[in-house]
Amino acid sequence: MSECTHNCSTCSANCSSKQKKENMYEALNPLSEVRHVIGVVSGKGGVGKSLVTSMLATLVQRQGYHAAILDADVTGPSIPHIFGLKSGVTGDENGMYPARTATGIDVISANLLLDDTTAPVVWRGPVIAGTVKQFWTDVIWNDVDYMFVDCPPGTGDVPLTVFQTIKLDGIIIVSSPQDLVSMIVSKAANMAKMMDIPVLGLVENMSYVECPDCKKHINIYGESHIEEVAEKFGYDLLAKMPIDPKLAALCDKGMLELMENSSLDGAVEKIIQKTQKN
């Protein structure tokens, strides 16, 4: 009989604690199939979490897997705009069907359900959390290999709902190269630890700007401390992403899937390796 390690994410013992945790997850729609689910989180807003989510889904799709995005940032949804989506969600007696991007990525987002995409979502926390739960249980996710859940920043109702509702393979923490990065990562890392969610690694966005002439890296937000933070927590540093005007322009046009070379290519390979071991 296996001995309990008191960490349900790695323990092989089938004890009552593990069974209780498994039972708290919400079931998918019977017509859905999702093999791997990865949360993308941050301790604060404005670090490019939705950009990282969209890029990861795009790159995974290019690898030949079927990618999907569950946009859990209900009050600040930017995923549809990044992919040029304004509608596409349908439904019948079986449930809702997500919209699909030009390259075949499935997407569900609150903005795809509104008549006016600029209308604010003025809902209280429990209603927002319930909506995110329905995105998981009521939407028909057809043969999805990798789903990325774009969580709102912080450690409030919605990230907690995601952690408790959806059985995640792990999370990716997105940060920026500022002095408060250690605090930002710590908040997300400590929440993941409390909930027994594995951390797949860190992504630092806005790390530098590359000079178009000499290719020198200019650290406009100061020196990065992400390596020290990664070492402190024992996490993999998956990528350091530069500020890229071309990438920003593609997002503004809703054409992210046309991006060329990406600083997240290596990160995708590591994520696939980590999740397929489980």
Side-chain angles (χ1 to χ4, degrees), residues 8-271:
C8 293
S9 65
T10 59
C11 183
S12 60
N14 191 26
C15 63
S16 59
S17 295
K18 186 170 186 178
Q19 291 171 3
K20 184 177 180 181
K21 184 179 180 184
E22 292 287 337
N23 291 338
M24 78 179 183
Y25 297 125
E26 293 288 340
L28 279 167
N29 184 297
L31 298 177
S32 293
E33 184 177 8
V34 180
R35 296 177 184 84
H36 299 287
V37 188
I38 297 167
V40 183
V41 307
S42 63
K44 67 179 289 294
V47 297
K49 174 181 47 56
S50 296
L51 173 63
V52 171
T53 301
S54 301
M55 291 176 67
L56 289 173
T58 298
L59 293 170
V60 164
Q61 189 81 3
R62 288 182 182 178
Q63 292 269 2
Y65 298 99
H66 183 196
I69 298 176
L70 190 159
D71 188 359
D73 196 352
V74 173
T75 59
S78 54
I79 296 292
H81 185 84
I82 290 173
F83 289 101
L85 294 172
K86 294 183 179 178
S87 61
V89 176
T90 59
D92 57 24
E93 67 276 6
N94 295 312
M96 289 189 295
Y97 297 88
R100 181 160 285 190
T101 71
T103 64
I105 300 169
D106 287 340
V107 177
I108 190 70
S109 173
N111 252 22
L112 294 173
L113 304 175
L114 301 175
D115 293 331
D116 179 4
T117 58
T118 64
V121 178
V122 188
W123 299 342
R124 294 194 181 276
V127 177
I128 295 173
T131 300
V132 171
K133 188 181 294 186
Q134 285 185 291
F135 284 171
W136 173 252
T137 60
D138 294 5
V139 173
I140 298 171
W141 300 100
N142 183 31
D143 196 26
V144 172
D145 293 307
Y146 281 91
M147 174 184 285
F148 295 91
V149 182
D150 185 22
C151 294
T155 54
D157 282 350
V158 175
L160 183 60
T161 296
V162 170
F163 285 12
Q164 291 182 328
T165 300
I166 304 173
K167 186 176 182 181
L168 300 171
D169 288 67
I171 62 169
I172 295 166
I173 301 175
V174 183
S175 67
S176 59
Q178 296 161 311
D179 287 338
L180 47 70
V181 63
S182 181
M183 179 191 73
I184 296 170
V185 173
S186 295
K187 286 181 179 293
N190 289 331
M191 184 176 185
K193 185 176 180 181
M194 288 173 60
M195 303 297 295
D196 277 334
I197 306 295
V199 176
L200 301 177
L202 309 180
V203 172
E204 183 180 75
N205 189 28
M206 300 179 285
S207 291
Y208 58 89
V209 172
E210 183 178 271
C211 174
D213 296 322
C214 67
K215 304 303 179 183
K216 178 181 177 180
H217 289 184
I218 304 168
N219 301 319
I220 63 174
Y221 288 115
E223 291 297 323
S224 170
H225 302 284
I226 194 67
E227 287 89 352
E228 295 94 319
V229 173
E231 184 177 358
K232 173 184 175 182
F233 288 99
Y235 298 153
D236 281 345
L237 177 56
L238 298 175
K240 297 177 73 172
M241 294 172 53
I243 297 174
D244 187 347
K246 293 181 180 178
L247 197 59
L250 287 175
C251 290
D252 288 343
K253 296 176 182 177
M255 302 169 67
L256 178 70
E257 290 162 296
L258 296 181
M259 68 179 183
E260 297 178 351
N261 296 330
S262 168
S263 54
L264 286 179
D265 286 338
V268 166
E269 295 293 342
K270 291 178 181 177
I271 291 166

